[in-house]
Structures are given as C-alpha cells and as structure tokens.
Amino acid sequence: MRLFSGQSAWLLQRLSAILVLLLLLLGIVNLLAAPPGYDAWRALATSTHGAVLIIVGFIAVAVHAWIGTRDVVLDYVHVPALRIAILAVVGTLLLGVLTRVALTVATALAAA
Amino acid sequence: MRFRIYRFDPQTDQRPRMQDYDFTPGHHDRMLLDALIGLKRIDPGLSFRRSCREGVCGSDAMNINGRNGLACIHPLKDLREPVVLRPLPGFPVVRDLIVDMTQFFAHYHAIRPYLINDELPPERERLQSPAQRDKLDGLYECILCACCSGFCPSYWWNPDKFIGPAGLLQAYRFIADSRDKATSERLAFLDDVYRLYRCRSIMNCTEVCPKKLSPSHAIERIRSAMVRDSS
Amino acid sequence: MALQAEVDRPAPPRKAPHFLTLWKIRFPIGAIASIGHRLSGLVLLVLLPPAALALDASLRNRQSFDALFAGLHAPWTALLVLAGVWAVSHHLLAGIRHLLMDAGVGWRLAQARATAWVATLAPPIIAVTAAVVWSLR
C-alpha cells in the first residue's frame, strides 16, 4: 500500500472522478443523439471516439473503484490477512472487468 | 428535569449502564454543567471533568443528546428531556463521563505544535503583518476539547493512526504561520494514507465545534498546500 | 481505614469500554450524505461486472442485443433500476459536492448542509421516478 501515498491516491481519485464525469456526459450526449437500435449502437461503439470513450471510461472507473475500495478496507478492516484477501478479490474482479471490456471492443472493431 | 447518564465504574462494573436522575435546577442553574454539579451533590460518585465553566478550557466535552458539546455552555432550557449524557464517542472510558485523552494528545504532540524557525532570531519579535496574522484566525482559538475528533467516524475507526480533526487543525495553524519555516517537513509528515488522508470531508467536526471553528476547512487547506508544495 | 483499602486496591486489568452505539448518535445531514456516498460506491462496484457483461451482450451480435433488451422487460428489473439509478445519482451528486468543496466552493457550514440535503434527497426522488417510468413503459 506504500505504492500510493496519501496525496497521490487522493489526487488520482479526484482526476479519475472528473474523467468519468466528462466521459459519462459525452456518452449520454452521443447515445441520445444516435437513433435507437442495434445498428446505430454498434456503429457508435465501433467508431474511433466511441471505442476510446468506452475503454478509457472503464479504466477510469476501475482506477476510481480501486482507490475507493482501498479506502473502505483501510477504514474498517484491521486484520492484515483479511485486508489483503479482500483487496486481492476486488483487484482481480476489476482486472476481469477491464479484460472483458477490452475483448468486447476489440472483437467488435475486428468484425466491423 | 430528567437526565439519563452513562455510568461506568471500572472498580465495580462489568459493563457500562445508563442511570436515570430527576433534578430540579435551582434559580441560578442555567447551564448543563450546573445541573451536573447539582446531581453530584445527590450522587457523589457521578464523575465528570470540569474547570473554567465558561467554554474555554474544554474539560467538560461530552455527548449531549447525541451530539458532542461542552456542558458548561449548553443552556438547560434548550435541552430536550430526558437529557441523555454519554462520554465522547470512540474514546476509552476511564469512569462515567471521563475519557482517556492520551491518544488524542499524542496526535497533537506528533504534529509538532510549536514554531520551528532556525533562522537567527531578530532583536525583538519575529514580525508578522496584519494580513499574515489574519491567517491564524479560526485556527489558534482551538481549546483541544476533542468534541470534533470524538465525532469523526474516521477517527473512530482508526484512532491510533489518523491524526484527527483537532490535531490536523493545529497542524494547519503552524503550516499557515508565516514565522514557521518547517512547512515542507510538516506536509511531508502528514502525507500519509492514514495521518491526513483518512479524512473523507464528512464535516461532523465542523458541526460540533463549540468554538465554531472549521477543522474540515483547515484539512482542505492542508491538502491544497500539499498540492502546491509538490508541484 | 476503608478509604485506604479503596485506594490500595489494584485496578482490575480490563479493557476500557467505548461509547460507539451508532444509533444513539445524532448524525448531521453531511454524515448521511457521506455514508450514502460510500454505500452507493459499493453498490456501483457490485454492478460493474454485470455492466461489462451487458456491454458484451449488446455488441456481440443482433440476437444477443435483442435477448438483452427482451430480458429487461422482466418485472424485477424495476428494482435493479431503482437501486442502480439511486446509486449512480447519489454517488454523482455527492461526488460533485466533494469536488466543489475541494475547489473552495460550499465549504462553509450553511452551504455544506444545503448541498448535503440536495445530494441526499434528490437521488431517491430521481430513482423512484426512473423506476416508475421504467415499469410503465
């Protein structure tokens, strides 16, 4: 945990939050502007800006979620073994989410 | 008036209990502390700290009807009955309403609450402009009563590692002081995932400070100073 | 003398009690907004893997896209919308409140209380509205 000293973790959490906020707004604007249906959605998601938005968005959410989870664990969990266990599970989960999203977008781009 | 007071005698009690009292305040009994002193005449075993009786020493900090405050400046007429009195939350109870303040003062000592300036001392004072002196307003007035730290959830969960709002407010009092030359060292000491950064800006501290200070704002100022210092 | 015996008696080696009965403590609105921020964050963490899976289903092919949206007509999804929309809106509003305070806006007690009320009351209203609209469509 020494990896992220107090200030760097706090700053990163704020920066990832702002990024998620911006990308969420952009995402909603794009979705509302596009016509409904599979074709329009797929075209949006496989466009350059769409794919980048999705991937960067999920990375930002994962970073933010990791720092947030660590804060919760540091507050309530004082047993080191339990702490490491919980963080390991959540870390793996987040990496799994990112892998899943990367594969989804890559597959969609390849098929486009 | 009806009172429910937290009682614990380490010599005789296995666990704490709440005791009910009925007390008729006298003509001159205005504040909660007056009632407590009156109650102690009835029940001499009832224990609490007190000194100045005017809200400047910080001795009689306690949890009054669910919120922390100083007993000596709480008017009796403003209190909902039964008046429920408990010790400061999260602090080890010594006896009844008296808590162990050792950890609290250890954090205060840890932030080095004194001016650090190794420059050659001037003929008379280290001068400070009025504008520089104004920066200490809202910081120097802290009476270390612990109402804030005793109401901070982050301090409850990690009282040994998180400095707490009182300690951090005092830390900022010296960071903000133009005469102090150890700003970078002070900030480096606080840059820790526990010492400063357990604070979640819940603002419970500012809600209960009897001197109307804002530890949450002071902590924000420390974070800004840290960002400035590192860039 | 009895009093001397009282003084000489060693203190029992017991761990000191602490008063931490949370429901006996009267929390200000800021604390409610704050714990809501933490809870909503945890809810969003739990919803993240399903969100990734839903993204995949929506992009894999037309059949899975249709299946996904057909599945969303089930009645229990209204509860999901309720929880999800509450979590997103509370975490967003409370988060924006934090960012504003970091920037020096709304740190004074009166302002902080006002924004805390908004961050706490608006999300359930938004969530209930969304759930009702969702189940009526």
Side-chain angles (χ1 to χ4, degrees):
Chain A
M1 301 314 135
R2 289 274 159 241
L3 219 85
F4 276 138
S5 81
Q7 193 194 357
S8 36
W10 178 80
L11 264 174
L12 199 58
Q13 195 177 41
R14 258 59 181 172
L15 291 171
S16 60
I18 294 169
L19 192 57
V20 168
L21 196 59
L22 285 170
L23 294 176
L24 198 64
L25 280 165
L26 274 170
I28 290 171
V29 164
N30 271 295
L31 276 172
L32 288 171
Y38 176 68
D39 297 308
W41 162 237
R42 208 197 151 81
L44 196 66
T46 51
S47 65
T48 319
H49 67 269
V52 166
L53 200 147
I54 292 172
I55 296 199
V56 173
F58 267 91
I59 292 175
V61 166
V63 166
H64 190 82
W66 170 254
I67 300 174
T69 308
R70 193 182 74 132
D71 271 334
V72 174
V73 167
L74 286 176
D75 268 355
Y76 305 132
V77 184
H78 298 116
V79 178
L82 192 57
R83 189 182 283 178
I84 292 172
I86 296 173
L87 287 172
V89 166
V90 174
T92 312
L93 203 76
L94 289 172
L95 282 171
V97 164
L98 287 178
T99 314
R100 173 70 273 168
V101 170
L103 282 172
T104 301
V105 174
T107 316
L109 282 170
Chain B
M1 280 184 79
R2 287 170 297 128
F3 294 83
R4 292 203 80 211
I5 304 181
Y6 183 104
R7 301 298 309 276
F8 176 71
D9 183 345
Q11 305 280 19
T12 58
D13 295 333
Q14 285 295 329
R15 67 182 68 84
R17 60 191 168 82
M18 297 300 288
Q19 188 166 336
D20 290 304
Y21 293 92
D22 254 301
F23 174 75
T24 309
H27 176 69
H28 294 286
D29 292 333
R30 303 257 173 76
M31 300 297 179
L32 176 58
L33 181 62
D34 297 323
L36 277 168
I37 291 169
L39 282 166
K40 196 171 167 71
R41 285 197 201 98
I42 303 166
D43 179 359
L46 178 63
S47 305
F48 49 91
R49 287 197 180 105
R50 85 284 175 269
S51 184
C52 75
R53 99 257 183 279
E54 60 175 2
V56 294
C57 74
S59 303
D60 58 5
M62 57 185 72
N63 190 268
I64 303 164
N65 285 344
R67 291 258 171 111
N68 291 356
L70 302 178
C72 59
I73 51 175
H74 257 83
L76 283 168
K77 64 172 174 58
D78 293 343
L79 289 170
R80 238 179 24 251
E81 284 183 62
V83 181
V84 182
L85 301 178
R86 291 191 161 93
L88 287 177
F91 281 60
V93 177
V94 173
R95 178 173 167 156
D96 296 344
L97 300 168
I98 299 173
V99 295
D100 190 333
M101 300 278 279
T102 315
Q103 182 74 265
F104 177 79
F105 285 119
H107 287 309
Y108 178 59
H109 283 273
I111 56 103
R112 300 204 288 170
Y114 41 83
L115 274 179
I116 297 170
N117 189 330
D118 294 327
E119 290 168 6
L120 211 62
E123 275 272 318
R124 293 169 65 183
E125 313 93 340
R126 294 191 188 280
L127 291 176
Q128 205 172 38
S129 73
Q132 287 171 327
R133 169 59 187 80
D134 285 345
K135 288 204 164 69
L136 302 179
D137 287 341
L139 303 171
Y140 78 90
E141 302 95 320
C142 172
I143 59 174
L144 294 169
C145 65
C147 281
C148 58
S149 295
F151 212 52
C152 173
S154 297
Y155 191 75
W156 294 339
W157 317 138
N158 285 290
D160 50 339
K161 299 212 208 105
F162 177 45
I163 300 279
L168 291 169
L169 182 100
Q170 286 308 297
Y172 186 62
R173 178 250 172 278
F174 287 96
I175 290 166
D177 197 321
S178 55
R179 300 166 296 177
D180 183 87
K181 299 299 173 203
T183 307
S184 288
E185 292 90 324
R186 294 181 188 279
L187 292 172
F189 173 73
L190 294 171
D191 186 4
D192 177 83
V193 80
Y194 283 103
R195 288 195 195 118
L196 172 80
Y197 283 99
R198 283 301 85 206
C199 174
R200 304 260 68 79
S201 302
I202 299 171
M203 289 185 69
N204 268 15
C205 49
T206 305
E207 286 272 1
V208 294
C209 177
K211 309 307 286 180
K212 304 284 177 272
L213 307 180
S214 189
S216 53
H217 186 58
I219 294 168
E220 276 296 338
R221 302 298 295 271
I222 300 177
R223 283 195 266 243
S224 307
M226 246 186 233
V227 171
R228 273 197 312 271
D229 196 61
S230 62
S231 47
Chain C
M1 298 246 292
L3 232 69
Q4 192 59 48
E6 178 94 14
V7 168
D8 290 340
R9 190 196 331 168
R14 201 183 297 123
K15 200 166 154 294
H18 293 65
F19 162 49
L20 265 179
T21 318
L22 294 181
W23 58 90
K24 301 269 201 243
I25 293 170
R26 204 159 45 94
F27 287 96
I29 185 62
I32 312 293
S34 186
I35 196 66
H37 193 202
R38 177 159 278 194
L39 273 165
S40 58
L42 290 169
V43 168
L44 289 172
L45 181 70
V46 167
L47 291 178
L48 206 58
L53 292 172
L55 179 77
D56 184 64
S58 75
L59 283 174
R60 192 181 289 271
N61 53 51
R62 193 179 295 276
Q63 289 81 5
S64 63
F65 178 88
D66 291 333
L68 178 70
F69 278 87
L72 290 174
H73 281 282
W76 61 265
T77 58
L79 277 166
L80 191 71
V81 167
L82 188 76
V85 171
W86 170 80
V88 169
S89 46
H90 190 109
H91 205 78
L92 257 174
L93 286 177
I96 292 169
R97 176 174 178 261
H98 270 308
L99 289 171
L100 284 171
M101 284 210 276
D102 287 343
V105 174
W107 60 266
R108 288 181 209 281
L109 196 56
Q111 302 164 326
R113 279 183 188 147
T115 52
W117 276 112
V118 171
T120 310
L121 291 181
I125 296 171
I126 297 169
V128 166
T129 312
V132 165
V133 165
W134 179 267
S135 40
L136 285 177
R137 131 213 81 95

